[in-house]
Amino acid sequence: MNKPASVREQLDAVVVGAGFSGLYMLYRLRQLGLSVKVFDSAGDVGGTWYWNRYPGARCDIPTTDYTYSFDPELEKEWTWSEKYATQPEILDYLRFVADRHGLRSDIEFSTSVTSARWDEQEKRWRITTGRGKEIRCRYYIMATGCLSIPKPPDIEGAGRFAGQVYFTSRWPHEGADFTGQRVAVIGTGSSGIQSIPLIARQASRLTVFQRTANFSIPAHNGPAPADRLKRLGEDRDGYRHAARWSRGGIPIEPTDVLGVTASEAVRRERFEAAWAQGELFGILNVFADQGVNPASNDIVAEMIREKIRSIVKDPGTAEALCPKDHYFGTKRPCLDTGYFETYNLPHVLLVDLRKQPIISITEEGIETPDESFGFDAIVYATGFDAMTGALVAADVAGRDGLSLKEKWATGPSTYLGLMTAGFPNVFMLTGPGSPSVLSNMTVSIEQHVDWVAGCLEDMREERFETIEPTSLAESGWDQHVQDCAAITLHPTANSWYMGANVPGKPRVLLPYIGGVNAYRQACDEVVSQGYLGFRRTGPEGARCRDGVIRRMQPDVAMVLDLVAAMGMPPMDTLSAADARALMAATAAIRPPGPEVGEVTDGVIPVPAGDLPYRLYRPAVPPEGPRPLVVYFHGGGWVLGNLDSDDPLCRDLCQRSGAVVVSVNYRHAPEARFPAAALDAFAAVQWVDANAIELGGIPGQLAVAGWSAGANIATVACQLARDDGGPHISGQVLICPVVDSDMTRLSYQKNGDGYILTTALMRWFWDHYADPADRADPRAAPLHGNLDGLPPTCIVAADFDPLRDEGVAYARALEDVGVPVRLARARGHTHTSVTMVGVVISGAPVRAEIGAALRNFFAVRPTTEQIE
Ligand code: NAP
């Protein structure tokens, strides 16, 4: 029972946790001259390093990097003894830091915070501690760690065992002696993998119960890496700066080698180098695409499995130790010292729980369907309620009395992983939605602490008392965090990153996977934009610049960065011939798109001459005729050809199950308006008339196009309706040009910086049509008669200057009763949805297009539609 609150204290800030983050937070708050107290339930500083004292516990980020960087003098005074320091040494380090800066005087050990309540009247938090103290404070900072709440053993009979029970996460300070004992270890995550070889040295028999085989590489521990020491010696500031702006918080050169295209020799060389180096970020950087492309990931995974098979002598045990049910890196990979070798010892046995599950823990040991094992000790290395566990366990109730646990019942929601709406002045250090556990924690901790300290300093200067994110900013960030996750393989794994290790926990990627550098950039921008997305209040009123800091899909942003880095001249400054050459050059280096059953080229004889076409037939059964889709490429009526949209056509063919006929039409300026539109109509008529020869189903014909191709596709529909057919079952218009009015809001917002610019659109129009022709419905179909047009799917991309005319076309079609599906390409540009195999986040939009096409043919057109 908690003691009644008795002593009252007023403080500026309360920090919970005296680990890496809490200690540095205390240091910074003191620097600001704030009164502050840190509480920790442990008996000393150290956080995770206080509790996790199991044999073999070490960091697995090199000590050159797993260290504070805020104090250059500290860096001079402390020398790590190894590449990966042991838990006692890391604890000594944190004690050293606490003493050096006299931090202990503001820390209350063996004291937990039992509740925190927001007092809206006072604009303060009321904190109560387990020792009966009540504190009023302005700021409440949770430095509670990402892996601090052990997962309770969810195994039948766990409380019954009569022998010794140990948790790696709560190891006794006096240690454990397993000499001569029969020991069970349950769990083969980092804690299990580090402790198993050492427990095996003492135990008379060690039985490891493995549910999921884990990827691990040898740590090759020893002296700190010479190359890193050299770089630090030469330029410490430069090294630390590079770490802060790196993807993972360690300065490494990200590779651009793709696993899927690298030669076997390059693959092997890169993998062996990473294996020999023994660093987490090295093995995660063998290929640039291993985190997103299953085929590339499999190459690394298989090479690790080969290593395991070569180390472990018993083939059955080796096979059981080979991870096969998740992609490499999607569960936290481990670094080990002699882990796999341990299974070659005669007294060590592996029990594969997938084949031989635990029925129950008994008084004597562990019972499985095949065998009852007797033990003297059981070690649980079963992990943590990660990232959110410690935050929701603290009894925090915010503005409306809502607890964090209630608010996060369906998953955590944060702004920048730092704060959450409804909880004014509560800061989370390395909270969910920040890079945290996917990065070098020390770098991420320092960044968070510095951000919070800067924020409090700014508030003081600007005379604000409270700060809280808006729900718009928060939901925008949550979306961005999930967008970043969605393009990776991470969501496929049952990992603690996904909350999947705790029964009933919502399944969501908890950390931010966009990178330490991208994250730091976002945090900095929020500040430079006047604390965008935060509401700050004070005696002089409130200030809030509401908004979303990242609305673009992360892979689209990456493409834009790459394009910018290439320094290509703006297309609208080139001649048509040079622009075409540039487009062909970029098309030559992109992935080819999916395999389809058959691709054949031919020509369509139209009055103006022969139009080349390329036909794509789906690979999948059933055999026989298919619906037909006539497709027109993009390129502003000036650029493009059968090659330019080839990957997209393959994708459309595969997703729709239709025969796609991509038609090359005459281009401007050689053939100006209305040549392209007339060609499109003639091509549609020809494909309809030759449906059987093309392998199509007569009467099942749709049109599709992107950009200017969508323009002529829909013009063809208008002409077909007026000039005697053919019947068109539906039209797919991807980011269409439907009007020549360039004053819409989307032009103003997106007319610069997203590849298709206002200047380029003007250049296209100037090449294609005289100003006098630009309101002609065959140039601007929005101004045409829309009655009786076929069911329509329009894709409108957020960052496209043409977005609003696409939306206007959808609304106008709806107004005259045309069934319309408006597919919003959230976070996309005019070009990104079409970048098959490059922009992964475009896949859901293209899936929607495929579904729309299938739907056109599944539903029999009504008489009204035919008319
Ligand atoms: P973990 O990675 O979550 O591993 C827990 C292990 O226990 C897994 O093998 C899990 O199997 C197994 N397990 C859980 N419940 C089980 C059950 N009911 N029955 C059978 N097996 C069960 O936990 P951890 O090893 O403590 O590591 C957590 C994280 O802490 C690490 O990923 C790492 O980030 C950090 N850590 C770091 C270091 C270091 O720096 N060197 C050391 C230790 C920990 P499933 O995989 O099937 O769930």
Side-chain angles (χ1 to χ4, degrees):
M1 277 255 300
N2 295 335
K3 289 186 189 163
S6 55
V7 189
R8 282 223 180 138
E9 207 175 336
Q10 289 273 1
L11 292 168
D12 292 318
V14 161
V15 177
V16 188
F20 263 99
S21 56
L23 290 180
Y24 182 43
M25 192 75 247
L26 171 58
Y27 172 84
R28 287 300 312 267
L29 292 173
R30 274 187 181 176
Q31 267 190 336
L32 291 178
L34 299 181
S35 58
V36 51
K37 191 125 276 171
V38 177
F39 295 96
D40 198 308
S41 56
D44 198 357
V45 299
T48 197
W49 297 107
Y50 175 89
W51 297 107
N52 288 268
R53 295 163 182 255
Y54 58 84
R58 287 176 186 275
C59 62
D60 56 10
I61 297 289
T63 43
T64 41
D65 299 83
Y66 195 75
T67 193
Y68 286 123
S69 72
F70 68 89
D71 177 359
E73 290 307 308
L74 171 71
E75 290 205 57
K76 277 188 213 149
E77 284 180 27
W78 182 269
T79 307
W80 293 102
S81 64
E82 288 179 282
K83 175 181 173 187
Y84 298 116
T86 60
Q87 173 268 335
E89 187 176 8
I90 300 171
L91 195 54
D92 278 350
Y93 171 71
L94 290 171
R95 287 181 179 138
F96 175 76
V97 173
D99 292 339
R100 191 188 140 76
H101 291 291
L103 298 176
R104 287 173 193 278
S105 57
D106 282 327
I107 307 176
E108 287 195 19
F109 295 111
S110 306
T111 309
S112 47
V113 169
T114 48
S115 75
R117 297 280 175 275
W118 176 246
D119 186 329
E120 181 67 29
Q121 219 66 64
E122 285 192 32
K123 307 266 184 279
R124 279 188 164 73
W125 282 93
R126 278 188 282 123
I127 308 286
T128 34
T129 73
R131 290 178 183 262
K133 213 182 219 182
E134 186 181 308
I135 297 156
R136 305 281 164 114
C137 63
R138 182 75 78 198
Y139 306 111
Y140 183 48
I141 302 171
M142 307 193 66
T144 41
C146 295
L147 295 152
S148 40
I149 298 286
K151 193 183 81 135
D154 46 357
I155 302 173
E156 174 67 30
R160 283 166 54 196
F161 183 59
Q164 292 293 323
V165 174
Y166 299 93
F167 289 86
T168 49
S169 52
R170 291 288 180 270
W171 206 257
H173 285 210
E174 62 280 10
D177 184 2
F178 296 113
T179 308
Q181 293 193 358
R182 299 160 305 154
V183 182
V185 175
I186 304 176
T188 51
S190 299
S191 305
I193 282 178
Q194 284 188 336
S195 57
I196 283 164
L198 288 159
I199 295 174
R201 284 190 199 164
Q202 291 185 335
S204 63
R205 201 182 78 200
L206 171 62
T207 310
V208 177
F209 292 85
Q210 170 192 277
R211 186 163 68 184
T212 308
N214 221 333
F215 289 102
S216 184
I217 68 161
H220 300 306
N221 200 16
D227 56 331
R228 293 188 183 282
L229 284 177
K230 184 165 176 285
R231 283 176 69 187
L232 274 166
E234 286 166 2
D235 178 11
R236 185 169 293 271
D237 289 348
Y239 185 94
R240 297 291 180 221
H241 179 82
R244 289 183 193 119
W245 287 98
S246 67
R247 222 185 128 68
I250 291 200
I252 60 166
E253 196 57 49
T255 182
D256 55 6
V257 173
L258 298 179
V260 280
T261 51
S263 69
E264 186 49 41
V266 168
R267 289 173 179 170
R268 178 61 61 184
E269 188 191 322
R270 290 194 58 75
F271 171 77
E272 292 294 346
W275 182 269
Q277 183 197 34
E279 288 191 20
L280 217 46
F281 284 99
I283 196 76
L284 291 167
N285 187 42
V286 175
F287 304 126
D289 54 347
Q290 70 189 57
V292 296
N293 187 328
S296 172
N297 193 287
D298 277 345
I299 297 166
V300 182
E302 188 50 33
M303 287 185 182
I304 298 178
R305 287 190 286 262
E306 273 174 25
K307 292 282 188 191
I308 296 172
R309 290 181 189 116
S310 74
I311 298 169
V312 180
K313 296 202 176 102
D314 174 59
T317 306
E319 223 36 54
L321 286 165
C322 283
K324 294 186 193 112
D325 66 353
H326 62 280
Y327 292 111
F328 173 66
T330 56
K331 292 183 88 151
R332 172 69 145 63
C334 307
L335 294 192
D336 70 87
T337 302
Y339 173 65
F340 292 114
E341 290 82 349
T342 302
Y343 293 94
N344 293 333
L345 298 172
H347 68 292
V348 177
L349 176 73
L350 180 74
V351 175
D352 180 353
L353 296 180
R354 303 269 184 221
K355 293 194 179 137
Q356 197 180 340
I358 296 175
I359 296 175
S360 169
I361 296 191
T362 63
E363 263 182 37
E364 292 78 32
I366 295 179
E367 204 167 304
T368 72
D370 308 338
E371 209 172 338
S372 293
F373 297 87
F375 293 114
D376 303 307
I378 296 181
V379 176
Y380 290 95
T382 43
F384 300 87
D385 182 353
M387 301 220 50
T388 53
L391 295 171
V392 299
D395 178 16
V396 193
R399 186 185 294 289
D400 302 317
L402 188 76
S403 73
L404 203 52
K405 192 174 184 173
E406 287 162 341
K407 180 175 174 187
W408 287 4
T410 55
S413 170
T414 71
Y415 188 31
L416 302 169
L418 276 162
M419 298 193 84
T420 189
F423 295 80
N425 294 1
V426 173
F427 295 91
M428 295 167 279
L429 301 181
T430 67
S434 76
S436 56
V437 291
L438 293 175
S439 67
N440 172 6
M441 285 298 281
T442 55
V443 166
S444 287
I445 283 169
E446 286 193 339
Q447 186 259 342
H448 259 198
V449 169
D450 289 340
W451 193 95
V452 172
C455 167
L456 299 191
E457 200 173 2
D458 289 345
M459 285 180 58
R460 184 165 63 188
E461 263 173 36
E462 296 172 66
R463 294 179 47 78
F464 289 122
E465 290 171 342
T466 72
I467 179 166
E468 185 184 343
T470 69
S471 49
L472 174 72
E474 184 167 310
S475 59
W477 184 255
D478 290 340
Q479 182 67 65
H480 177 60
V481 171
Q482 293 317 313
D483 285 345
C484 290
I487 59 174
T488 71
L489 299 171
H490 269 79
T492 62
N494 290 324
S495 62
W496 61 256
Y497 292 141
M498 294 292 300
N501 65 327
V502 176
K505 195 167 170 175
R507 195 186 165 90
V508 57
L509 186 66
L510 296 164
Y512 174 69
I513 201 171
V516 165
N517 45 358
Y519 175 76
R520 181 182 293 269
Q521 180 79 33
C523 291
D524 290 357
E525 278 177 34
V526 163
V527 175
S528 66
Q529 293 181 33
Y531 285 89
L532 177 76
F534 283 108
R535 185 166 193 275
R536 295 179 298 165
T537 67
E540 285 146 44
R543 196 184 305 162
C544 174
R545 197 173 153 224
D546 207 356
V548 171
I549 187 69
R550 290 285 178 266
R551 292 193 303 123
M552 184 169 280
Q553 291 287 349
D555 46 1
V556 175
M558 259 184 261
V559 168
L560 289 181
D561 286 348
L562 273 177
V563 170
M566 284 159 86
M568 292 190 297
M571 259 194 190
D572 51 277
T573 62
L574 303 179
S575 67
D578 286 348
R580 285 170 189 157
L582 186 64
M583 193 161 165
T586 47
I589 53 170
R590 68 199 165 166
E595 286 285 328
V596 293
E598 190 188 347
V599 180
T600 49
D601 286 357
V603 289
I604 300 176
V606 298
D610 286 347
L611 302 180
Y613 75 81
R614 183 168 296 163
L615 181 145
Y616 303 83
R617 187 180 305 286
V620 285
E623 297 298 321
R626 300 295 187 105
L628 286 157
V629 176
V630 188
Y631 175 83
F632 301 102
H633 61 257
W637 308 281
V638 178
L639 315 173
N641 50 36
L642 296 183
D643 292 333
S644 61
D645 292 26
D646 184 79
L648 178 64
C649 288
R650 290 167 176 276
D651 190 84
L652 290 180
C653 171
Q654 192 198 46
R655 289 181 192 276
S656 66
V659 170
V660 173
V661 184
S662 170
V663 178
N664 201 10
Y665 45 91
R666 283 173 295 161
H667 291 137
E670 295 84 355
R672 286 167 64 84
F673 170 81
L678 297 182
D679 285 356
F681 180 40
V684 171
Q685 287 178 312
W686 184 85
V687 170
D688 178 66
N690 293 275
I692 293 173
E693 293 79 355
L694 295 170
I697 303 171
Q700 291 208 359
L701 176 93
V703 296
W706 166 46
S707 190
N711 169 282
I712 59 176
T714 194
V715 170
C717 289
Q718 295 190 10
L719 295 175
R721 177 201 53 203
D722 299 338
D723 294 346
H727 163 72
I728 297 175
S729 306
Q731 54 175 342
V732 165
L733 311 176
I734 305 169
C735 306
V737 191
V738 286
D739 197 3
S740 52
D741 175 3
M742 295 205 237
T743 61
R744 288 193 170 83
L745 186 65
S746 55
Y747 263 101
Q748 290 165 37
K749 292 225 165 212
N750 307 323
D752 192 20
Y754 305 115
I755 297 183
L756 178 66
T757 60
T758 304
L760 181 57
M761 207 53 223
R762 193 169 290 121
W763 185 86
F764 284 140
W765 274 114
D766 289 346
H767 278 77
Y768 183 50
D770 292 337
D773 289 329
R774 293 183 196 174
D776 185 311
R778 292 171 303 165
L782 179 62
H783 301 299
N785 169 17
L786 308 185
D787 256 337
L789 287 183
T792 303
C793 170
I794 292 182
V795 175
D798 283 358
F799 293 92
D800 185 358
L802 305 181
R803 178 196 66 201
D804 290 353
E805 64 194 69
V807 173
Y809 199 52
R811 299 283 169 261
L813 287 163
E814 270 169 357
D815 286 347
V816 295
V818 173
V820 176
R821 178 177 186 147
L822 180 61
R824 176 180 169 203
R826 189 175 50 73
H828 279 271
T829 62
H830 183 74
T831 52
S832 56
V833 171
T834 68
M835 293 182 168
V836 176
V838 176
V839 174
I840 298 171
S841 62
V845 184
R846 294 195 305 276
E848 214 176 327
I849 295 171
L853 284 168
R854 288 197 306 275
N855 208 31
F856 292 155
F857 305 120
V859 181
R860 291 231 60 80
T862 63
T863 330
E864 211 178 308
Q865 282 164 349
I866 295 169
E867 284 165 6

